[in-house]
Amino acid sequence: MRQALAEEVKNQMEQLGVEVTTEAVGWDTAYDRAQSQAMVWGWGAHTPMELYNLYHSAEDGLAGYSPYYNEKVDAYMDQALTSNDMEESYELWKQAQWDGVTGVTQKGDIPWIWLCNVKHLYFIRDGLAVAEQKIHPHGHGWSIINNVDKWSWE
């Protein structure tokens, strides 16, 4: 899937006159190159910690998976993590994304370009209703059984 997405990005960039070379590499190489080269990653989880893991700068001054550094975004996330109020923390996570001036979304710095949400394919037994599903983000911490308490037999 990642390779197919990378090839399609290459095709679309070529239409804009930008030459792109794709290469499949292992995780060690990908992690080493993440700070200096464009990468296609499979990523996602339904948690604000996803923002932290992707965009908060580390000790070397850059985020773990991109050459991104923004003190204000780091401060919002740090405050969110130390907040004693869940609702307040949500507002801080939102500000890390976009506070009207800066953030990690397309209105701000956009260190990542999100290409798609992949629809997973599952087989179920006839007569089993699995209830409405939320977006399944790459299988990290969220699965088809997230709402098993709402499943039923028809």
PDB file of all heavy atoms in Angstrom, residues 68-99:
ATOM      1  N   TYR A  68      11.039  18.756  11.927  1.00  0.00           N
ATOM      2  CA  TYR A  68      10.108  19.776  12.401  1.00  0.00           C
ATOM      3  C   TYR A  68      10.484  20.240  13.794  1.00  0.00           C
ATOM      4  O   TYR A  68      10.803  19.432  14.669  1.00  0.00           O
ATOM      5  CB  TYR A  68       8.679  19.220  12.414  1.00  0.00           C
ATOM      6  CG  TYR A  68       7.650  20.252  12.826  1.00  0.00           C
ATOM      7  CD1 TYR A  68       7.370  21.327  12.012  1.00  0.00           C
ATOM      8  CD2 TYR A  68       6.987  20.140  14.035  1.00  0.00           C
ATOM      9  CE1 TYR A  68       6.435  22.280  12.380  1.00  0.00           C
ATOM     10  CE2 TYR A  68       6.045  21.090  14.414  1.00  0.00           C
ATOM     11  CZ  TYR A  68       5.777  22.154  13.588  1.00  0.00           C
ATOM     12  OH  TYR A  68       4.862  23.104  13.952  1.00  0.00           O
ATOM     13  N   TYR A  69      10.420  21.549  13.981  1.00  0.00           N
ATOM     14  CA  TYR A  69      10.657  22.137  15.286  1.00  0.00           C
ATOM     15  C   TYR A  69       9.833  23.410  15.397  1.00  0.00           C
ATOM     16  O   TYR A  69       9.905  24.279  14.536  1.00  0.00           O
ATOM     17  CB  TYR A  69      12.138  22.467  15.483  1.00  0.00           C
ATOM     18  CG  TYR A  69      12.404  23.191  16.773  1.00  0.00           C
ATOM     19  CD1 TYR A  69      12.411  22.496  17.977  1.00  0.00           C
ATOM     20  CD2 TYR A  69      12.627  24.557  16.792  1.00  0.00           C
ATOM     21  CE1 TYR A  69      12.637  23.156  19.175  1.00  0.00           C
ATOM     22  CE2 TYR A  69      12.859  25.228  17.983  1.00  0.00           C
ATOM     23  CZ  TYR A  69      12.859  24.524  19.168  1.00  0.00           C
ATOM     24  OH  TYR A  69      13.080  25.174  20.352  1.00  0.00           O
ATOM     25  N   ASN A  70       9.021  23.498  16.448  1.00  0.00           N
ATOM     26  CA  ASN A  70       8.241  24.694  16.706  1.00  0.00           C
ATOM     27  C   ASN A  70       8.032  24.788  18.217  1.00  0.00           C
ATOM     28  O   ASN A  70       7.304  23.986  18.801  1.00  0.00           O
ATOM     29  CB  ASN A  70       6.903  24.626  15.970  1.00  0.00           C
ATOM     30  CG  ASN A  70       6.083  25.885  16.114  1.00  0.00           C
ATOM     31  OD1 ASN A  70       5.969  26.454  17.195  1.00  0.00           O
ATOM     32  ND2 ASN A  70       5.493  26.314  15.017  1.00  0.00           N
ATOM     33  N   GLU A  71       8.690  25.766  18.848  1.00  0.00           N
ATOM     34  CA  GLU A  71       8.628  25.918  20.302  1.00  0.00           C
ATOM     35  C   GLU A  71       7.204  26.109  20.797  1.00  0.00           C
ATOM     36  O   GLU A  71       6.818  25.569  21.839  1.00  0.00           O
ATOM     37  CB  GLU A  71       9.469  27.115  20.750  1.00  0.00           C
ATOM     38  CG  GLU A  71      10.947  26.851  20.782  1.00  0.00           C
ATOM     39  CD  GLU A  71      11.730  28.046  21.324  1.00  0.00           C
ATOM     40  OE1 GLU A  71      11.166  28.856  22.095  1.00  0.00           O
ATOM     41  OE2 GLU A  71      12.904  28.162  20.965  1.00  0.00           O
ATOM     42  N   LYS A  72       6.415  26.875  20.056  1.00  0.00           N
ATOM     43  CA  LYS A  72       5.044  27.155  20.484  1.00  0.00           C
ATOM     44  C   LYS A  72       4.196  25.885  20.445  1.00  0.00           C
ATOM     45  O   LYS A  72       3.429  25.611  21.369  1.00  0.00           O
ATOM     46  CB  LYS A  72       4.430  28.249  19.611  1.00  0.00           C
ATOM     47  CG  LYS A  72       3.200  28.860  20.196  1.00  0.00           C
ATOM     48  CD  LYS A  72       2.835  30.153  19.483  1.00  0.00           C
ATOM     49  CE  LYS A  72       1.706  30.828  20.228  1.00  0.00           C
ATOM     50  NZ  LYS A  72       1.299  32.075  19.596  1.00  0.00           N
ATOM     51  N   VAL A  73       4.346  25.096  19.387  1.00  0.00           N
ATOM     52  CA  VAL A  73       3.620  23.830  19.286  1.00  0.00           C
ATOM     53  C   VAL A  73       4.060  22.890  20.400  1.00  0.00           C
ATOM     54  O   VAL A  73       3.218  22.253  21.057  1.00  0.00           O
ATOM     55  CB  VAL A  73       3.821  23.197  17.894  1.00  0.00           C
ATOM     56  CG1 VAL A  73       3.301  21.772  17.851  1.00  0.00           C
ATOM     57  CG2 VAL A  73       3.148  24.045  16.814  1.00  0.00           C
ATOM     58  N   ASP A  74       5.370  22.810  20.648  1.00  0.00           N
ATOM     59  CA  ASP A  74       5.870  21.991  21.760  1.00  0.00           C
ATOM     60  C   ASP A  74       5.245  22.432  23.081  1.00  0.00           C
ATOM     61  O   ASP A  74       4.841  21.604  23.898  1.00  0.00           O
ATOM     62  CB  ASP A  74       7.390  22.102  21.877  1.00  0.00           C
ATOM     63  CG  ASP A  74       8.147  21.279  20.850  1.00  0.00           C
ATOM     64  OD1 ASP A  74       7.515  20.523  20.089  1.00  0.00           O
ATOM     65  OD2 ASP A  74       9.386  21.401  20.820  1.00  0.00           O
ATOM     66  N   ALA A  75       5.150  23.747  23.308  1.00  0.00           N
ATOM     67  CA  ALA A  75       4.607  24.268  24.561  1.00  0.00           C
ATOM     68  C   ALA A  75       3.137  23.884  24.724  1.00  0.00           C
ATOM     69  O   ALA A  75       2.711  23.495  25.824  1.00  0.00           O
ATOM     70  CB  ALA A  75       4.774  25.785  24.625  1.00  0.00           C
ATOM     71  N   TYR A  76       2.357  23.992  23.663  1.00  0.00           N
ATOM     72  CA  TYR A  76       0.947  23.578  23.747  1.00  0.00           C
ATOM     73  C   TYR A  76       0.839  22.107  24.139  1.00  0.00           C
ATOM     74  O   TYR A  76       0.037  21.732  24.984  1.00  0.00           O
ATOM     75  CB  TYR A  76       0.230  23.781  22.403  1.00  0.00           C
ATOM     76  CG  TYR A  76      -0.077  25.217  22.052  1.00  0.00           C
ATOM     77  CD1 TYR A  76       0.175  25.691  20.775  1.00  0.00           C
ATOM     78  CD2 TYR A  76      -0.647  26.099  22.972  1.00  0.00           C
ATOM     79  CE1 TYR A  76      -0.122  26.998  20.421  1.00  0.00           C
ATOM     80  CE2 TYR A  76      -0.935  27.411  22.628  1.00  0.00           C
ATOM     81  CZ  TYR A  76      -0.677  27.862  21.353  1.00  0.00           C
ATOM     82  OH  TYR A  76      -0.974  29.146  21.001  1.00  0.00           O
ATOM     83  N   MET A  77       1.646  21.263  23.504  1.00  0.00           N
ATOM     84  CA  MET A  77       1.575  19.837  23.798  1.00  0.00           C
ATOM     85  C   MET A  77       2.060  19.534  25.210  1.00  0.00           C
ATOM     86  O   MET A  77       1.470  18.695  25.906  1.00  0.00           O
ATOM     87  CB  MET A  77       2.353  19.042  22.744  1.00  0.00           C
ATOM     88  CG  MET A  77       1.669  19.070  21.384  1.00  0.00           C
ATOM     89  SD  MET A  77       2.392  17.947  20.177  1.00  0.00           S
ATOM     90  CE  MET A  77       3.824  18.874  19.655  1.00  0.00           C
ATOM     91  N   ASP A  78       3.111  20.198  25.651  1.00  0.00           N
ATOM     92  CA  ASP A  78       3.599  19.998  27.017  1.00  0.00           C
ATOM     93  C   ASP A  78       2.535  20.405  28.032  1.00  0.00           C
ATOM     94  O   ASP A  78       2.313  19.702  29.024  1.00  0.00           O
ATOM     95  CB  ASP A  78       4.883  20.796  27.253  1.00  0.00           C
ATOM     96  CG  ASP A  78       6.071  20.247  26.484  1.00  0.00           C
ATOM     97  OD1 ASP A  78       6.047  19.052  26.091  1.00  0.00           O
ATOM     98  OD2 ASP A  78       7.030  21.020  26.254  1.00  0.00           O
ATOM     99  N   GLN A  79       1.871  21.537  27.778  1.00  0.00           N
ATOM    100  CA  GLN A  79       0.804  21.986  28.672  1.00  0.00           C
ATOM    101  C   GLN A  79      -0.368  20.998  28.672  1.00  0.00           C
ATOM    102  O   GLN A  79      -0.959  20.736  29.722  1.00  0.00           O
ATOM    103  CB  GLN A  79       0.311  23.366  28.264  1.00  0.00           C
ATOM    104  CG  GLN A  79       1.312  24.481  28.499  1.00  0.00           C
ATOM    105  CD  GLN A  79       0.865  25.794  27.868  1.00  0.00           C
ATOM    106  OE1 GLN A  79      -0.320  26.013  27.621  1.00  0.00           O
ATOM    107  NE2 GLN A  79       1.823  26.659  27.573  1.00  0.00           N
ATOM    108  N   ALA A  80      -0.697  20.476  27.502  1.00  0.00           N
ATOM    109  CA  ALA A  80      -1.797  19.507  27.408  1.00  0.00           C
ATOM    110  C   ALA A  80      -1.493  18.263  28.238  1.00  0.00           C
ATOM    111  O   ALA A  80      -2.365  17.743  28.927  1.00  0.00           O
ATOM    112  CB  ALA A  80      -2.052  19.137  25.946  1.00  0.00           C
ATOM    113  N   LEU A  81      -0.254  17.806  28.171  1.00  0.00           N
ATOM    114  CA  LEU A  81       0.131  16.605  28.911  1.00  0.00           C
ATOM    115  C   LEU A  81       0.118  16.809  30.426  1.00  0.00           C
ATOM    116  O   LEU A  81      -0.102  15.862  31.174  1.00  0.00           O
ATOM    117  CB  LEU A  81       1.510  16.123  28.475  1.00  0.00           C
ATOM    118  CG  LEU A  81       1.587  15.477  27.101  1.00  0.00           C
ATOM    119  CD1 LEU A  81       3.032  15.152  26.747  1.00  0.00           C
ATOM    120  CD2 LEU A  81       0.737  14.217  27.038  1.00  0.00           C
ATOM    121  N   THR A  82       0.374  18.018  30.869  1.00  0.00           N
ATOM    122  CA  THR A  82       0.418  18.275  32.311  1.00  0.00           C
ATOM    123  C   THR A  82      -0.885  18.842  32.850  1.00  0.00           C
ATOM    124  O   THR A  82      -1.017  19.041  34.057  1.00  0.00           O
ATOM    125  CB  THR A  82       1.574  19.237  32.666  1.00  0.00           C
ATOM    126  OG1 THR A  82       1.388  20.465  31.965  1.00  0.00           O
ATOM    127  CG2 THR A  82       2.922  18.621  32.305  1.00  0.00           C
ATOM    128  N   SER A  83      -1.851  19.072  31.989  1.00  0.00           N
ATOM    129  CA  SER A  83      -3.136  19.624  32.416  1.00  0.00           C
ATOM    130  C   SER A  83      -3.889  18.621  33.292  1.00  0.00           C
ATOM    131  O   SER A  83      -3.893  17.425  33.031  1.00  0.00           O
ATOM    132  CB  SER A  83      -3.985  19.981  31.198  1.00  0.00           C
ATOM    133  OG  SER A  83      -5.267  20.405  31.611  1.00  0.00           O
ATOM    134  N   ASN A  84      -4.556  19.143  34.310  1.00  0.00           N
ATOM    135  CA  ASN A  84      -5.397  18.315  35.176  1.00  0.00           C
ATOM    136  C   ASN A  84      -6.849  18.295  34.700  1.00  0.00           C
ATOM    137  O   ASN A  84      -7.686  17.655  35.323  1.00  0.00           O
ATOM    138  CB  ASN A  84      -5.346  18.821  36.624  1.00  0.00           C
ATOM    139  CG  ASN A  84      -3.983  18.604  37.245  1.00  0.00           C
ATOM    140  OD1 ASN A  84      -3.330  17.601  36.985  1.00  0.00           O
ATOM    141  ND2 ASN A  84      -3.548  19.556  38.048  1.00  0.00           N
ATOM    142  N   ASP A  85      -7.128  19.010  33.625  1.00  0.00           N
ATOM    143  CA  ASP A  85      -8.484  19.125  33.113  1.00  0.00           C
ATOM    144  C   ASP A  85      -8.524  18.589  31.685  1.00  0.00           C
ATOM    145  O   ASP A  85      -7.865  19.129  30.789  1.00  0.00           O
ATOM    146  CB  ASP A  85      -8.909  20.596  33.148  1.00  0.00           C
ATOM    147  CG  ASP A  85     -10.315  20.824  32.663  1.00  0.00           C
ATOM    148  OD1 ASP A  85     -10.591  20.544  31.476  1.00  0.00           O
ATOM    149  OD2 ASP A  85     -11.135  21.311  33.468  1.00  0.00           O
ATOM    150  N   MET A  86      -9.285  17.516  31.464  1.00  0.00           N
ATOM    151  CA  MET A  86      -9.343  16.872  30.150  1.00  0.00           C
ATOM    152  C   MET A  86      -9.805  17.831  29.064  1.00  0.00           C
ATOM    153  O   MET A  86      -9.204  17.899  27.990  1.00  0.00           O
ATOM    154  CB  MET A  86     -10.268  15.652  30.206  1.00  0.00           C
ATOM    155  CG  MET A  86     -10.278  14.846  28.934  1.00  0.00           C
ATOM    156  SD  MET A  86      -8.760  13.914  28.654  1.00  0.00           S
ATOM    157  CE  MET A  86      -8.967  12.606  29.817  1.00  0.00           C
ATOM    158  N   GLU A  87     -10.866  18.599  29.326  1.00  0.00           N
ATOM    159  CA  GLU A  87     -11.384  19.540  28.320  1.00  0.00           C
ATOM    160  C   GLU A  87     -10.344  20.605  27.983  1.00  0.00           C
ATOM    161  O   GLU A  87     -10.180  20.974  26.824  1.00  0.00           O
ATOM    162  CB  GLU A  87     -12.700  20.181  28.788  1.00  0.00           C
ATOM    163  CG  GLU A  87     -13.846  19.194  28.925  1.00  0.00           C
ATOM    164  CD  GLU A  87     -14.139  18.419  27.642  1.00  0.00           C
ATOM    165  OE1 GLU A  87     -14.140  19.028  26.555  1.00  0.00           O
ATOM    166  OE2 GLU A  87     -14.361  17.190  27.729  1.00  0.00           O
ATOM    167  N   GLU A  88      -9.643  21.107  28.991  1.00  0.00           N
ATOM    168  CA  GLU A  88      -8.578  22.079  28.758  1.00  0.00           C
ATOM    169  C   GLU A  88      -7.477  21.468  27.891  1.00  0.00           C
ATOM    170  O   GLU A  88      -6.954  22.112  26.986  1.00  0.00           O
ATOM    171  CB  GLU A  88      -7.988  22.555  30.085  1.00  0.00           C
ATOM    172  CG  GLU A  88      -6.810  23.508  29.914  1.00  0.00           C
ATOM    173  CD  GLU A  88      -6.143  23.841  31.237  1.00  0.00           C
ATOM    174  OE1 GLU A  88      -5.591  22.899  31.865  1.00  0.00           O
ATOM    175  OE2 GLU A  88      -6.157  25.018  31.608  1.00  0.00           O
ATOM    176  N   SER A  89      -7.153  20.211  28.167  1.00  0.00           N
ATOM    177  CA  SER A  89      -6.099  19.561  27.374  1.00  0.00           C
ATOM    178  C   SER A  89      -6.520  19.441  25.913  1.00  0.00           C
ATOM    179  O   SER A  89      -5.695  19.624  25.019  1.00  0.00           O
ATOM    180  CB  SER A  89      -5.746  18.183  27.950  1.00  0.00           C
ATOM    181  OG  SER A  89      -6.736  17.218  27.648  1.00  0.00           O
ATOM    182  N   TYR A  90      -7.800  19.162  25.650  1.00  0.00           N
ATOM    183  CA  TYR A  90      -8.271  19.078  24.260  1.00  0.00           C
ATOM    184  C   TYR A  90      -8.056  20.402  23.536  1.00  0.00           C
ATOM    185  O   TYR A  90      -7.656  20.434  22.369  1.00  0.00           O
ATOM    186  CB  TYR A  90      -9.746  18.695  24.206  1.00  0.00           C
ATOM    187  CG  TYR A  90     -10.053  17.280  24.636  1.00  0.00           C
ATOM    188  CD1 TYR A  90     -11.305  16.961  25.136  1.00  0.00           C
ATOM    189  CD2 TYR A  90      -9.103  16.263  24.559  1.00  0.00           C
ATOM    190  CE1 TYR A  90     -11.609  15.665  25.536  1.00  0.00           C
ATOM    191  CE2 TYR A  90      -9.399  14.974  24.955  1.00  0.00           C
ATOM    192  CZ  TYR A  90     -10.654  14.682  25.445  1.00  0.00           C
ATOM    193  OH  TYR A  90     -10.947  13.408  25.841  1.00  0.00           O
ATOM    194  N   GLU A  91      -8.342  21.507  24.220  1.00  0.00           N
ATOM    195  CA  GLU A  91      -8.148  22.829  23.603  1.00  0.00           C
ATOM    196  C   GLU A  91      -6.673  23.075  23.305  1.00  0.00           C
ATOM    197  O   GLU A  91      -6.332  23.655  22.267  1.00  0.00           O
ATOM    198  CB  GLU A  91      -8.722  23.934  24.489  1.00  0.00           C
ATOM    199  CG  GLU A  91     -10.230  23.931  24.562  1.00  0.00           C
ATOM    200  CD  GLU A  91     -10.901  23.972  23.190  1.00  0.00           C
ATOM    201  OE1 GLU A  91     -10.505  24.800  22.345  1.00  0.00           O
ATOM    202  OE2 GLU A  91     -11.815  23.157  22.945  1.00  0.00           O
ATOM    203  N   LEU A  92      -5.797  22.629  24.178  1.00  0.00           N
ATOM    204  CA  LEU A  92      -4.359  22.796  23.941  1.00  0.00           C
ATOM    205  C   LEU A  92      -3.892  21.941  22.765  1.00  0.00           C
ATOM    206  O   LEU A  92      -3.071  22.386  21.954  1.00  0.00           O
ATOM    207  CB  LEU A  92      -3.577  22.467  25.210  1.00  0.00           C
ATOM    208  CG  LEU A  92      -3.753  23.482  26.344  1.00  0.00           C
ATOM    209  CD1 LEU A  92      -3.349  22.890  27.687  1.00  0.00           C
ATOM    210  CD2 LEU A  92      -2.960  24.756  26.040  1.00  0.00           C
ATOM    211  N   TRP A  93      -4.409  20.709  22.653  1.00  0.00           N
ATOM    212  CA  TRP A  93      -4.064  19.864  21.498  1.00  0.00           C
ATOM    213  C   TRP A  93      -4.546  20.539  20.214  1.00  0.00           C
ATOM    214  O   TRP A  93      -3.849  20.523  19.194  1.00  0.00           O
ATOM    215  CB  TRP A  93      -4.679  18.474  21.624  1.00  0.00           C
ATOM    216  CG  TRP A  93      -4.045  17.618  22.684  1.00  0.00           C
ATOM    217  CD1 TRP A  93      -4.644  17.168  23.824  1.00  0.00           C
ATOM    218  CD2 TRP A  93      -2.709  17.122  22.716  1.00  0.00           C
ATOM    219  NE1 TRP A  93      -3.762  16.416  24.555  1.00  0.00           N
ATOM    220  CE2 TRP A  93      -2.552  16.375  23.897  1.00  0.00           C
ATOM    221  CE3 TRP A  93      -1.611  17.245  21.863  1.00  0.00           C
ATOM    222  CZ2 TRP A  93      -1.365  15.738  24.242  1.00  0.00           C
ATOM    223  CZ3 TRP A  93      -0.424  16.615  22.209  1.00  0.00           C
ATOM    224  CH2 TRP A  93      -0.316  15.872  23.383  1.00  0.00           C
ATOM    225  N   LYS A  94      -5.731  21.135  20.250  1.00  0.00           N
ATOM    226  CA  LYS A  94      -6.250  21.843  19.076  1.00  0.00           C
ATOM    227  C   LYS A  94      -5.352  23.021  18.720  1.00  0.00           C
ATOM    228  O   LYS A  94      -5.084  23.284  17.548  1.00  0.00           O
ATOM    229  CB  LYS A  94      -7.680  22.324  19.325  1.00  0.00           C
ATOM    230  CG  LYS A  94      -8.701  21.214  19.350  1.00  0.00           C
ATOM    231  CD  LYS A  94     -10.084  21.770  19.677  1.00  0.00           C
ATOM    232  CE  LYS A  94     -11.103  20.682  19.865  1.00  0.00           C
ATOM    233  NZ  LYS A  94     -12.425  21.223  20.256  1.00  0.00           N
ATOM    234  N   GLN A  95      -4.888  23.762  19.740  1.00  0.00           N
ATOM    235  CA  GLN A  95      -4.006  24.894  19.477  1.00  0.00           C
ATOM    236  C   GLN A  95      -2.671  24.440  18.883  1.00  0.00           C
ATOM    237  O   GLN A  95      -2.088  25.155  18.069  1.00  0.00           O
ATOM    238  CB  GLN A  95      -3.780  25.702  20.749  1.00  0.00           C
ATOM    239  CG  GLN A  95      -5.013  26.502  21.132  1.00  0.00           C
ATOM    240  CD  GLN A  95      -4.772  27.343  22.360  1.00  0.00           C
ATOM    241  OE1 GLN A  95      -4.404  26.832  23.424  1.00  0.00           O
ATOM    242  NE2 GLN A  95      -4.970  28.636  22.222  1.00  0.00           N
ATOM    243  N   ALA A  96      -2.189  23.281  19.272  1.00  0.00           N
ATOM    244  CA  ALA A  96      -0.964  22.753  18.671  1.00  0.00           C
ATOM    245  C   ALA A  96      -1.165  22.514  17.176  1.00  0.00           C
ATOM    246  O   ALA A  96      -0.233  22.649  16.382  1.00  0.00           O
ATOM    247  CB  ALA A  96      -0.537  21.461  19.367  1.00  0.00           C
ATOM    248  N   GLN A  97      -2.398  22.183  16.807  1.00  0.00           N
ATOM    249  CA  GLN A  97      -2.701  21.978  15.392  1.00  0.00           C
ATOM    250  C   GLN A  97      -2.821  23.317  14.652  1.00  0.00           C
ATOM    251  O   GLN A  97      -2.311  23.459  13.552  1.00  0.00           O
ATOM    252  CB  GLN A  97      -3.988  21.174  15.249  1.00  0.00           C
ATOM    253  CG  GLN A  97      -3.836  19.753  15.766  1.00  0.00           C
ATOM    254  CD  GLN A  97      -5.156  19.032  15.781  1.00  0.00           C
ATOM    255  OE1 GLN A  97      -5.626  18.597  14.738  1.00  0.00           O
ATOM    256  NE2 GLN A  97      -5.761  18.916  16.953  1.00  0.00           N
ATOM    257  N   TRP A  98      -3.505  24.280  15.273  1.00  0.00           N
ATOM    258  CA  TRP A  98      -3.640  25.613  14.660  1.00  0.00           C
ATOM    259  C   TRP A  98      -4.189  26.566  15.711  1.00  0.00           C
ATOM    260  O   TRP A  98      -5.292  26.366  16.225  1.00  0.00           O
ATOM    261  CB  TRP A  98      -4.551  25.575  13.441  1.00  0.00           C
ATOM    262  CG  TRP A  98      -4.754  26.924  12.815  1.00  0.00           C
ATOM    263  CD1 TRP A  98      -5.925  27.616  12.761  1.00  0.00           C
ATOM    264  CD2 TRP A  98      -3.772  27.748  12.178  1.00  0.00           C
ATOM    265  NE1 TRP A  98      -5.732  28.814  12.126  1.00  0.00           N
ATOM    266  CE2 TRP A  98      -4.416  28.921  11.753  1.00  0.00           C
ATOM    267  CE3 TRP A  98      -2.413  27.604  11.936  1.00  0.00           C
ATOM    268  CZ2 TRP A  98      -3.754  29.946  11.092  1.00  0.00           C
ATOM    269  CZ3 TRP A  98      -1.742  28.627  11.279  1.00  0.00           C
ATOM    270  CH2 TRP A  98      -2.409  29.766  10.852  1.00  0.00           C
ATOM    271  N   ASP A  99      -3.426  27.597  16.025  1.00  0.00           N
ATOM    272  CA  ASP A  99      -3.855  28.575  17.022  1.00  0.00           C
ATOM    273  C   ASP A  99      -4.232  29.916  16.406  1.00  0.00           C
ATOM    274  O   ASP A  99      -4.435  30.898  17.108  1.00  0.00           O
ATOM    275  CB  ASP A  99      -2.763  28.764  18.087  1.00  0.00           C
ATOM    276  CG  ASP A  99      -1.508  29.433  17.546  1.00  0.00           C
ATOM    277  OD1 ASP A  99      -1.443  29.773  16.344  1.00  0.00           O
ATOM    278  OD2 ASP A  99      -0.558  29.610  18.341  1.00  0.00           O
TER     279      ASP A  99
END
